[in-house]
Amino acid sequence: MAAFSALFDESFEAMKRLAYLLGADDPENIAQEAFVRLHDRWHTLYDDSKALPYLRAMVVNLSRSRLRHLRVVRRTPPDVMLDELSAESHALARQEHKRIRDALGKLSRRQREVLVLRYWLDLDQAAIAETLGVAVGTVKATTSHAMTNLRKHLEEW
């Protein structure tokens, strides 16, 4: 279980941020749930190196499930307000982050997932394909379309 503990210490914040960037309103709970499920299945892993991709895929799937649930329960979740140290120093950064998050929100689910996995987690195309369960060619095409759409949405702003 030392390997699991090390994976948790190294990856929890990244998995929480991944869930957030995929649009989850409760990213910490999603990351926790993913680790709990991984822990329950740890003995079935034949190779510890497969744990991180498996964990990423669980976070993506749990985020999708959460978003489906939110669409049924309520319209749009309110933006998470971050504690601000000073309005002067963070106002522009906050506006830019909201602009980017809004633009990401206008993309299709798969386009958003591909961009977050590529540019936030810095995964290569093969790892993205494995995480999402699609072909590498699909990742390439989706990334291209997503970047085009993202540029269009950001220019509209």
Side-chain angles (χ1 to χ4, degrees), residues 13-24:
E13 288 299 319
M15 294 302 108
K16 185 169 76 171
R17 184 78 175 149
L18 173 60
Y20 173 77
L21 290 171
L22 292 174

Side-chain angles (χ1 to χ4, degrees), residues 116-124:
V116 168
L117 292 170
R118 173 67 184 100
Y119 294 105
W120 186 74
L121 285 185
D122 199 27
L123 297 181
D124 61 23

